Amino acid sequence: MLRPQDSATRERKSLAGLWRFRLDPDGTGRVQQWWRAPLAHARDMPVPASYNDIAPEPALHDHVGDAWYQMATRIPARWDGQRIALRFDAATHRAIVWVGDAQVAEHEGGYTPFEADVTAHVRPGEEARVTVVVSNELTFASIPPGEVLETAAGREQNYFHDFFNYAGLHRSVWLYTTPPTRITSIAAKTGLDGSAGSVEYAVGQSGAPGEAPVEVVLRDAEGRLVAAGTGPEGRLVIPAVHRWAPGDGYLYQLEARLHDAEGGLIDSYLLPVGVRTVEVRGAQFLINGEPFYFRGFGKHEDAAVRGRGHDDVLMVHDFELMQWMGANSFRTAHYPYAEEALDYADRHGVVVIDETAAVGLNLKMTISRSQSGAETYSDQTVSRVTQRAHRQAISELIERDRNHPSVVMWSIANEPESGLPAAREYFAPLFASARELDPTRPVTFANVMGEEPGRCQLAELADVIMVNRYYGWYTNLADLAGAEAVLEGELRQWAAQHGKPIIISEYGADTLPGLHAILDVPWSEEYQVRYLEMCHQVFDRIDGVAGEHIWNFADFATGPAIIRVAGNRKGLFTRDRQPKAAAFAVRRRWSQATDS
Ligand code: GCB
């Protein structure tokens, strides 16, 4: 599915703004067919945004079930004769969409896009009514998993991850045109051979293959033509290529065009292409054949009021702060981020580990009431049904993001229970699917504390060992010397047993800004600084360590818990992006780094 764009042959109209909105805790809307008329008893709701924090109402904040959005928009009269599509960049966690009275789309998964051809349901020049029902329920059939509990107080959503279950229309919604005969997909794989670069492309089109001749041109960042080809597949060579590299987000533009028999232009689509290679060799992670050391964060899409709603202001600010820190990379913990973030990373040479929303496949870790003591993998819990949704999540992530040069690795899960043979049975086919869908990038997952080398059944399947470790916080609290010994011992074991690159994909300590202490007092700013220094000293002593991603870039919202103070406070920045002392300390380390 190609993203909507304005090109010589295509046009977009954003449906961002205020929509009409109504909660539906009893699910009556589907029975009463609320899409058939203007939404009654509706209020204004901004899109994109999570709905949860927009008004100070517990019923909105803690809603479980359906929520309805509706808006009316005029279809431009000049769109007559074009194919018209409606695209949601994300609807969390699932949605059904109607245009007028007709259902046009249904989608499972809260962080990947979907679209519908609505040409038959709208008339250029007239208004169209768009209605969407989103459901935030998480079950063992969804990614991420969860369970809805029927309690005396009503329905309650239980979930197994440490961030608030924000919901709604989190990203852009577009109406857009394409010509009736159109380009449907483009894949570009890049390679390097000495000073030359190559782009292997494949262009899909609607109708019979080859119906309209395909032409492809590649231009450099100044718009100069560097290579051209014809046919739906081919290989372009760029002599003296300018590589895409960390810190140097150089992009070429690949234009695919369809022509009619007379040579007239039918469709044109522009794809930015960064020419680079990625490879794991021994214990090294190589970008363009050179060792790369990941410096950065696990992040969240999270902010006051807008929740997980995409916002360009906050996104650019976060990237600027990461650059100020000297970070060169981040992980999209714990779900695919807005595509705008990957575009930005492409353009600025920021390296991304791209993660699915498979977080919480671990009932050992949960404080869930009904599932405590339950097995993670069973017919009633994480099962083949979950695996089906998980495979779909992997394939939608790869399909969406495969052309981004910034994305160097897929993370297919965060902290699953990985010490059981059942984990291997569940995950082996998923690793295989990811590799089949994209043979060009390494595949990994984030290993949880407790599933050490020798116990973990999945490390063998991963190309890179990613571990989340909190010695000095969840264990060895206020005992940094003890923490140091355990951390070093474990990392050395990973290095010896697997010989693969090791990325510490999470390490961190909750910290309340303004709390100070001379001694090692957890939650103080000084403890966070010393904890991180201890970890860094260990990483620097171990050859196989290929990266450090601090948990977290900024404080973020969670559900209520006695180990959380109005959210998770492991940020180097507060939730409103003010630095804690550790931000300055880490900045000194990262800005002094001389390698990539
Ligand atoms: C983890 C999880 C992350 C949590 C973090 C914490 O291991 O991957 O989602 O927020 O620990 O702070 O406990």
Side-chain angles (χ1 to χ4, degrees), residues 368-581:
S368 146
R369 271 170 288 153
S370 72
Q371 290 297 343
S372 53
E375 298 283 326
T376 298
Y377 303 95
S378 77
D379 288 345
Q380 287 71 46
T381 54
V382 176
S383 67
R384 279 184 184 281
V385 178
T386 324
Q387 193 192 38
R388 204 173 307 135
H390 198 158
R391 182 179 275 120
Q392 183 66 18
I394 293 170
S395 96
E396 289 188 21
L397 173 72
I398 295 179
E399 146 77 18
R400 193 193 74 162
D401 292 348
R402 61 187 169 168
N403 289 325
H404 286 285
S406 57
V407 174
V408 299
M409 179 155 63
W410 307 113
S411 166
I412 64 170
N414 182 67
E415 299 197 340
E417 184 170 1
S418 64
L420 303 169
R424 204 183 159 105
E425 271 167 46
Y426 176 94
F427 272 99
L430 297 180
F431 273 96
S433 298
R435 292 202 172 94
E436 197 181 307
L437 290 163
D438 180 11
T440 73
R441 289 177 178 87
V443 185
T444 190
F445 74 104
N447 164 292
V448 65
M449 262 171 100
E451 306 285 19
E452 283 112 22
R455 240 193 84 76
C456 179
Q457 306 284 310
L458 305 183
E460 220 173 87
L461 301 173
D463 296 305
V464 168
I465 306 288
M466 283 207 318
V467 294
N468 299 347
R469 289 298 178 271
Y470 291 93
Y471 301 121
W473 189 255
Y474 290 122
T475 69
N476 303 89
L477 184 69
D479 167 23
L480 292 178
E484 183 170 355
V486 196
L487 178 63
E488 178 153 5
E490 193 194 333
L491 293 180
R492 287 201 185 282
Q493 252 183 303
W494 282 114
Q497 286 195 13
H498 293 275
K500 298 176 183 176
I502 301 167
I503 297 173
I504 296 77
S505 40
E506 288 183 23
Y507 60 108
D510 283 89
T511 303
L512 288 181
L515 187 67
H516 297 290
I518 290 176
L519 301 182
D520 278 340
V521 176
W523 295 91
S524 67
E525 295 203 43
E526 289 75 14
Y527 187 71
Q528 188 181 34
V529 170
R530 279 199 292 270
Y531 164 94
L532 294 170
E533 275 169 5
M534 175 279 287
C535 293
H536 293 151
Q537 279 160 18
V538 174
F539 304 161
D540 290 347
R541 290 199 290 266
I542 298 174
D543 280 346
V545 171
E548 53 194 57
H549 276 176
I550 294 172
W551 192 256
N552 188 286
F553 171 73
D555 295 347
F556 59 90
T558 65
I562 53 167
I563 56 164
R564 297 287 171 254
V565 180
N568 187 309
R569 301 297 201 101
K570 294 192 185 69
L572 258 56
F573 294 88
T574 61
R575 201 179 188 209
D576 59 359
R577 276 53 177 174
Q578 298 306 313
K580 300 178 190 173

Side-chain angles (χ1 to χ4, degrees), residues 69-89:
Y69 287 80
Q70 194 178 66
M71 66 102 68
T73 188
R74 192 166 292 277
I75 309 294
R78 63 180 179 280
W79 285 9
D80 199 20
Q82 298 294 304
R83 173 182 170 272
I84 301 172
L86 173 63
R87 160 158 164 147
F88 291 80
D89 285 358

